[in-house]
Amino acid sequence: MAPREELSERDVRILAFERSWWRHAGAKEQAIRKDFGLSSARYYQLLGALIDSPAALAHDPMLITRLQRIRRARLDARSARILGRAE
């Protein structure tokens, strides 16, 4: 995916959703389907691209930094599980 210089309306909505998804009644996946009409897999693909986007970082640095930290922790935990099984 080529880097984008500005965020689309959907990108801004995704970032707003990530800031406040816990306020939605029900499961996050249901809210994703309702609010965006996307599968959760596609939503997380788009979110992953946003987490790496300089435009998203400029738009909401605290949120993007937090999401990058969460992603890094999950990747580290996954690596530790994989390495733990291999030993």
Side-chain angles (χ1 to χ4, degrees), residues 31-73:
I32 289 168
R33 171 92 44 209
K34 179 180 171 254
D35 291 0
F36 298 99
L38 299 170
S39 69
S40 57
R42 179 64 182 140
Y43 173 86
Y44 287 114
Q45 287 174 338
L46 294 169
L47 180 60
L50 282 171
I51 290 172
D52 295 328
S53 163
L57 182 61
H59 176 78
D60 195 334
M62 288 179 59
L63 174 66
I64 296 302
T65 301
R66 180 173 60 85
L67 293 174
Q68 288 171 339
R69 193 172 48 249
I70 291 168
R71 180 175 63 181
R72 195 172 318 113

